[in-house]
Structures are given as C-alpha cells and as structure tokens.
Amino acid sequence: MIPYSIPSITFDPITGTINGVQPQDRKLSDLKGYFIDSNAYNARLALDNPVIYSVASVEPDQGDGQLHYGIGVIAPGQVGAEYFMTKGHFHAWRPAAEVYIGLSGEGFMLLEEETTGKETLLPLNAQHIVYVPGATAHRTINTGSVPLVYIGIYPSAAGHDYGVIAERNFNSVLVNVNGQSTLVKRDRFSIAS
Ligand code: S6P
Ligand code: ZN
C-alpha cells in the first residue's frame, strides 16, 4: 500500500526554499550582541537591516523516534571582520545530536562541547556532512560570496537552548584576516587584527 498521507517534499538547493514552507528570517537587528565588533554592528545597522539568515523548518510529527529538519540559508557578508553566521545554540534536550548536510555555498560549522569547551571547526560546503554530537553548541558560518545553504536533521524533542550562547557566546570567532578564514580566541581578538 502506498502511504499517500506522507507528502512528497521538494526543495531548491541553491535558494534553500522548501515548497510550501514559510521560512523564519533572522535580521541583523535580531543578532544584537552576537558579533564581536559592536562598532561595526551599529554602523551597519544604521545603514540597513538585512536578513542575515533564514530557516525553513519541517516538523512532521512529535514523539519518540520522530525527526524534524530545517533548511538554513545564510547570506554572504561580514560585520567588521566576522562573517555572517547563525546565533548558535545547544539543544534543550542535551543528548540530542544533529546531522548537517551542505547543499550549496561555502562555510564552516563551529562546534563547542559543553563540558570540556573543546572546539572543532569543520567545513560545510556542498556534499559535506557534519555530525553534531549531543551537548555541543553549534553555529553555522558563511565564508563565501554566495548564500550558504544546508539542511539540519534532528530529533523532534531536541528543542533550542539559545540562552547559554546569548549570554557568553562561543569561545572563538571566525574572522577574515587578509582573505583567510581564521579562528581566533574571543579574548585575544582585537579590532585592528
Ligand atoms: C536546529 C538546527 C538548525 C538551526 C539553524 C539556525 O536544531 O541546528 O536548523 O536552527 O541553523 O541556527 P540557530 O542557531 O539560529 O537556531
Ligand atoms: Zn541544532
């Protein structure tokens, strides 16, 4: 028997659009306090308030064993030397892992383990897969010149905990130093670098 009640879903790997799904936009003004160069942030916000990223989420069902997924699109650009990026979060249900798959564009995922603080920076380009273990903060960063498009697949019970990162941010920042994506400890970053 063919399960007609399960819809066929199509998406565009370049625009990140999922047919029939309205994305949620995160604008520059939603990211107050996330970028390290607050002067550059304020200067840009005085000019305009672009969409930094958007996420189209699909939540077919809730309960044990169920999965949700979302396609994220991060615009190309920088605030000062720091590339456009997501807020980043832990999962509210800490054991929940996630699989990211790059669809188009160029970028990275910054992972930070909660208990050890261990950081890992992994490329997220088309055809790259990144496994995010449980209890690991994750942020997606566009270092390219076109939108970075990716899909993230996670347990329906994962939830989002933005609080820890909103409070203290990641320990490192990914910045453009003379055209090179460079990971710098937050407390060693200087605006002139
Ligand atoms: C959800 C998953 C992604 C992010 C998206 C936006 O668990 O990790 O769909 O929600 O990349 O990032 P953020 O940090 O604003 O949720
Ligand atoms: Zn997540």
Side-chain angles (χ1 to χ4, degrees), residues 89-91 98 100 138 154 159-160:
H89 60 272
F90 287 97
H91 291 146
E98 181 162 3
Y100 275 69
H138 43 292
Y154 48 95
H160 293 84

Side-chain angles (χ1 to χ4, degrees), residues 26 53-55 57 69-72 74 86-89 91 98 100 109 138-140 150-154 158-160 162:
R26 298 282 192 199
Y53 65 98
S54 64
V55 186
S57 302
Y69 58 93
I71 293 188
I74 308 178
T86 60
K87 289 182 172 183
H89 60 272
H91 291 146
E98 181 162 3
Y100 275 69
M109 287 198 72
H138 43 292
R139 165 174 283 165
T140 316
Y150 58 90
I151 184 167
I153 305 164
Y154 48 95
H160 293 84
Y162 290 106

Side-chain angles (χ1 to χ4, degrees), residues 16-164:
T17 307
I18 304 178
N19 277 330
V21 179
Q22 183 66 37
Q24 182 184 36
D25 289 340
R26 298 282 192 199
K27 299 179 115 180
L28 186 64
S29 56
D30 298 318
L31 289 161
K32 187 171 170 53
Y34 282 89
F35 291 98
I36 196 164
D37 187 341
S38 54
N39 289 334
Y41 176 86
N42 290 330
R44 177 66 194 261
L45 199 54
L47 290 177
D48 61 357
N49 187 18
V51 172
I52 305 298
Y53 65 98
S54 64
V55 186
S57 302
V58 180
E59 303 182 350
D61 208 348
Q62 306 283 345
D64 284 354
Q66 301 296 330
L67 298 173
H68 290 174
Y69 58 93
I71 293 188
V73 181
I74 308 178
Q78 293 175 211
V79 172
E82 194 172 14
Y83 300 100
F84 284 3
M85 61 187 186
T86 60
K87 289 182 172 183
H89 60 272
F90 287 97
H91 291 146
W93 180 42
R94 287 296 195 271
E98 181 162 3
V99 172
Y100 275 69
I101 302 169
L103 301 176
S104 60
E106 290 176 20
F108 289 89
M109 287 198 72
L110 179 58
L111 309 182
E112 192 179 298
E113 287 177 27
E114 185 164 38
T115 49
T116 63
K118 184 175 176 234
E119 298 169 292
T120 309
L121 185 69
L122 292 168
L124 186 69
N125 304 326
Q127 296 158 34
H128 282 222
I129 299 171
V130 173
Y131 181 79
V132 181
T136 302
H138 43 292
R139 165 174 283 165
T140 316
I141 303 161
N142 185 352
T143 56
S145 55
V146 297
L148 173 64
V149 184
Y150 58 90
I151 184 167
I153 305 164
Y154 48 95
S156 64
H160 293 84
D161 175 355
Y162 290 106
V164 176

